[in-house]
Amino acid sequence: MKSSWIFSVLALTVAAIDLLWILPVLNGSDVVWSDMWWRLVLAVAPIVLLVLLYGSVIKPVNAVVNGMDLLRG
């Protein structure tokens, strides 16, 4: 349970930072078009990495914790 709470806080923090960083591009301010593509890539990459992290680390840890709870019960 604790690991999924930590993951949720991490995901929300990354999403907020991405939104603040990509906002000038979405508003069409003084960011030139050539800068836009790498800002979008760098904004989406952490979200993709978090999804991969969740699938490869958090889910198995939760399964082990649930198994330990069953054995304890």
Side-chain angles (χ1 to χ4, degrees), residues 13-68:
T13 304
V14 167
I17 290 170
D18 279 350
L19 182 64
L20 289 175
W21 193 61
I22 201 76
L23 207 56
V25 173
L26 297 177
N27 285 337
S29 65
D30 58 349
V31 178
V32 294
W33 180 257
S34 62
D35 292 340
M36 186 173 174
W37 70 270
W38 65 268
R39 278 186 177 243
L40 290 173
V41 168
L42 291 176
V44 172
I47 295 170
V48 171
L49 291 175
L50 281 173
V51 169
L52 293 174
L53 175 73
Y54 182 78
S56 64
V57 175
I58 303 299
K59 274 188 174 181
V61 168
N62 285 339
V64 169
V65 169
N66 289 339
M68 294 299 288

